Amino acid sequence: MIFISEATSAALISHELAYDAVRQALLAASEPEAHSFPVVHGHGSEASNTFSVKAAATRELAGLKIGSFWPGNPANGLPRHNSLILLFDQQTGKMAVAIEAGKVNAFRTAAADAVAADLLARTDASVLAVFGTGHQARYECAALARIRPIRTVLIVGRDVRKSTEMAQELMAVGLDAHISDAESACRAADIIVTATPSRAPLFNAAWVKAGTHIVSMGSDAVGKQELPPDLFHTGRLFCDLPSQSRMIGDFQHAPAHVTLTAIGDVISANAAGRKTPDEITVFDSSGLSIQDLYIGQRILAVWQQAKQHEGVQ
């Protein structure tokens, strides 16, 4: 079995690699041969330490991703979030590859939202509102700034110190970042991203202006909720996988009759993306194991190329 450590995978990942791999994954997820299996949620001996297991199979790949959240880790100098991608040898059933993927997972999640935004957000979108000040929120800003001319980032957080730190980090990489309240941020934003563990709506649908693109990426378990349900009546709704979004994504709170469009169908041109400049688009990003398989495969390929290069030298 090939093992790729966290340090190695973190050195190999980039926003460009993640975007390309995840775009292919979202396209594959909409094909009949793709299967995403029910997500398993569990916890450690301490109930506050949680994990999830996501598994999938496509025509080419089969495997799973285990993601964990141990909130006390920073006290020990460790990240709260960790991930492990496992790829099967489909001929034998043995594990062919194990990739520690904590940093890779952050790039992968942001890449999915960037792929969707590239299809759904207005091309002139320049003001980004971000709910949340965790490490994922930073990756979301970087990924979206690659595909849209983001000038201003409005940060909505509960902790002023964390919000200030995030604003300073974003300004250091050339983004004009400011702390904001929820209403002001929503009324100004061209793109709204929610990156929180919330279990209640973070803002009022009436604050969202025409033409806004909205991303919920924090809702990935039963009971989580970031978006106001009124949006589901006025906006066009897209997601990574309708069946999963209905179960654990933000669209678990959407009426049964509304249409959910898989973003893979937009990539393949089997469904329309943004139709008019004024419509509101909503993307529910609950996170697919197929994304992990494809990005794992890409990390493996880059690692093998590096090994071959070392051998030549």
Side-chain angles (χ1 to χ4, degrees):
M1 181 181 72
I2 295 172
F3 173 72
I4 299 176
S5 70
E6 176 67 32
T8 299
S9 68
L12 296 175
I13 191 62
S14 67
H15 284 293
E16 292 81 4
L17 183 153
Y19 184 97
D20 291 342
V22 169
R23 191 177 192 279
Q24 288 187 339
L26 291 169
L27 179 61
S30 65
E31 297 174 350
E33 299 86 356
H35 300 278
S36 290
F37 304 108
V39 179
V40 175
H41 291 280
H43 61 73
S45 299
E46 294 289 335
S48 61
N49 298 328
T50 61
F51 65 88
S52 65
V53 182
K54 295 182 176 181
T58 70
R59 285 179 294 182
E60 300 175 348
L61 299 168
L64 60 150
K65 192 274 292 289
I66 303 167
S68 64
F69 178 70
W70 255 240
N73 272 1
N76 299 315
L78 298 171
R80 293 182 176 90
H81 294 270
N82 287 284
S83 292
L84 179 69
I85 298 172
L86 300 170
L87 301 178
F88 281 107
D89 178 331
Q90 297 200 66
Q91 301 302 314
T92 66
K94 295 181 68 176
M95 285 298 169
V97 187
I99 304 171
E100 289 184 324
K103 190 171 185 179
V104 167
N105 190 69
F107 276 88
R108 162 270 213 190
T109 301
D113 300 333
V115 169
D118 206 16
L119 296 163
L120 301 175
R122 297 194 329 271
T123 56
D124 63 347
S126 62
V127 179
L128 170 63
V130 180
F131 285 75
T133 57
H135 81 291
Q136 187 61 45
R138 292 156 166 81
Y139 286 94
E140 298 290 320
C141 294
L144 290 168
R146 284 187 65 247
I147 54 92
R148 286 297 182 270
I150 301 299
R151 293 197 321 268
T152 303
V153 179
L154 303 174
I155 301 168
V156 183
R158 294 177 299 179
D159 187 315
V160 174
R161 178 184 61 82
K162 291 181 179 179
S163 298
T164 301
E165 288 176 357
M166 181 172 165
Q168 291 172 342
E169 289 178 22
L170 294 178
M171 286 189 287
V173 296
L175 291 171
D176 183 26
H178 306 274
I179 299 173
S180 177
D181 63 275
E183 181 174 356
S184 298
C186 288
R187 291 191 182 279
D190 301 312
I191 301 175
I192 298 171
V193 175
T194 56
T196 77
S198 178
R199 290 180 173 267
L202 297 169
F203 56 89
N204 191 315
W207 301 342
V208 178
K209 68 181 182 182
T212 302
H213 173 62
I214 301 161
V215 178
S216 167
M217 59 72 46
S219 295
D220 60 357
V222 174
K224 285 190 174 182
Q225 183 178 20
E226 296 181 298
L227 305 183
D230 286 351
L231 276 177
F232 306 151
H233 298 281
T234 58
R236 292 184 59 225
L237 310 183
F238 301 82
C239 58
D240 42 20
L241 187 69
S243 58
Q244 181 172 294
S245 182
R246 285 281 189 191
M247 292 293 295
I248 64 171
D250 222 294
F251 291 157
Q252 65 186 276
H253 307 289
H257 68 272
V258 299
T259 299
L260 306 184
T261 301
I263 200 68
D265 288 334
V266 181
I267 296 172
S268 66
N270 288 322
R274 173 173 290 274
K275 293 180 179 179
T276 70
D278 290 336
E279 71 180 353
I280 292 171
T281 55
V282 182
F283 179 64
D284 184 22
S285 182
S286 58
L288 302 182
S289 183
I290 289 176
Q291 298 168 12
D292 301 304
L293 303 190
Y294 272 74
I295 205 166
Q297 182 189 49
R298 189 67 64 87
I299 289 289
L300 173 63
V302 174
W303 178 84
Q304 289 173 327
Q305 289 171 2
K307 285 291 184 182
Q308 290 174 355
H309 183 67
E310 290 174 5
V312 171
Q313 290 181 331

